[in-house]
Amino acid sequence: LAGLAFGAHAADYPQKDKVITIVVPFAAGGPTDRVARDLSEALRKPLGGATIVVDNASGAGGSIGANKVARAAPDGYTLLLHHVGMATMPTLVRNIPFKVESDFEYLGMVNDVPMTLIGKPSLPASNFRELTTWIHQNKGKINLGNAGVGSASHLCGLLFQSAVKTDMVPVPYKGTGPAMTDLIGGQIDLMCDQSTNTTSQIEAKKVKAFAVTTAKRLTIPALKDLPTLQEVGLKDFQVTIWHGLYAPKGTPADVQKKINDALKIALKDPEFIKRQESLGAVVVSDKRMEPAEHKKFVLSEIAKWSPIIKAAGVYAD
Ligand code: MLT
């Protein structure tokens, strides 16, 4: 009934004069924003030429934007594009004002993105071994950029500190877009960030790149020579960031199906795939495109990350 209460009738969804908003819970210019904007382009045609806009509702490590969608009208015109934060916030961010498993409809997964460990241009290390020497010579003084408590860069940075047994000074931003500006400028020293945001900066030699967080090396030219953190000694280190699409709980089932059908077409869009793959991302082509499998995957990721986060003693208030 919720759907009818909001006058959302799948038959005419999306209505020509109505705008579909995809909320990105981080600042413009970062990796989540990049996925959302590329995806919006690929969704336009499958959604009947709908007008799709991106709304950057940042803050609190991505939980402010997620909450905005959890509280939005369940009519299919406000969607959320979020990443692994949906699985880590329940442990990393105490008292989040929504329940990941029950306040959202799951509309399908979008991609998997590797992370890269990068440094400011003036950092006096040109490989991972030299980086670890520098880290141990600068204990307690290293500024580690992230997108706030609960963000992917925060999670990866915490696990990295735990692996190298060195605490660093976390410097939170509204997203790793703005954080990257300060890293290039030398205001911060290190950051763990997704390749969708770092590949172009690494290619342009605006930052130093030390390693990737995936189990296997990447194949794209800009990143193929970077060792994995496992290769350089952090044996269990593996972080891959995935992105999914969500709607508020109660969005009519047939509206959800229309969006998921459009998503499946978008995920096969050659331009979308080319853009994402050029940045090291892998567009989802498996069963996680299905809403039920998307939800199952997120619940399994909550179960996976919770003990890892707690064991590393890294969850934050
Ligand atoms: C993150 O660290 O969660 C993301 O990089 C945030 C962003 O997209 O800016």
Side-chain angles (χ1 to χ4, degrees), residues 97-120:
F98 54 83
K99 289 208 175 323
V100 167
E101 58 278 17
S102 55
D103 286 339
F104 297 92
E105 303 294 356
Y106 289 62
L107 301 176
M109 299 277 290
V110 178
N111 67 1
D112 293 295
V113 187
M115 297 196 92
T116 52
L117 183 64
I118 55 177
K120 65 184 179 185

Side-chain angles (χ1 to χ4, degrees), residues 26-27 30-33 83 115 147 151-154 174-177 193-194:
F26 296 102
T32 315
D33 184 61
H83 60 36
M115 297 196 92
S151 65
S153 43
H154 171 242
K174 295 276 184 207
T176 48
D193 193 16
Q194 298 171 68

Side-chain angles (χ1 to χ4, degrees), residues 113-118 128 131 156 160 191-196 198-199 202 208-240 279-280:
V113 187
M115 297 196 92
T116 52
L117 183 64
I118 55 177
F128 187 79
L131 175 68
C156 181
F160 179 65
M191 185 156 72
C192 187
D193 193 16
Q194 298 171 68
S195 64
T196 36
T198 62
T199 301
I202 294 169
K208 288 195 168 179
F210 297 104
V212 293
T213 64
T214 37
K216 285 200 311 217
R217 288 197 179 200
L218 303 178
T219 54
I220 58 171
L223 305 181
K224 69 180 174 45
D225 298 330
L226 285 182
T228 67
L229 282 172
Q230 294 185 16
E231 269 180 77
V232 291
L234 306 187
K235 60 184 176 23
D236 307 329
F237 205 103
Q238 183 175 350
V239 182
T240 298
L279 298 172

Side-chain angles (χ1 to χ4, degrees), residues 47-62:
L47 282 176
T51 304
I52 304 174
V53 299
V54 169
D55 167 18
N56 298 91
S58 59

Side-chain angles (χ1 to χ4, degrees), residues 38-94:
D38 285 358
L39 184 66
S40 302
E41 279 307 303
L43 278 172
R44 210 174 301 288
K45 205 152 136 265
L47 282 176
T51 304
I52 304 174
V53 299
V54 169
D55 167 18
N56 298 91
S58 59
S63 55
I64 286 178
N67 192 39
K68 181 171 186 176
V69 176
R71 304 282 164 259
D75 57 12
Y77 292 99
T78 305
L79 307 178
L80 172 69
L81 190 280
H82 207 332
H83 60 36
V84 68
M86 289 295 267
T88 57
M89 279 189 291
T91 307
L92 270 175
V93 185
R94 285 204 183 108

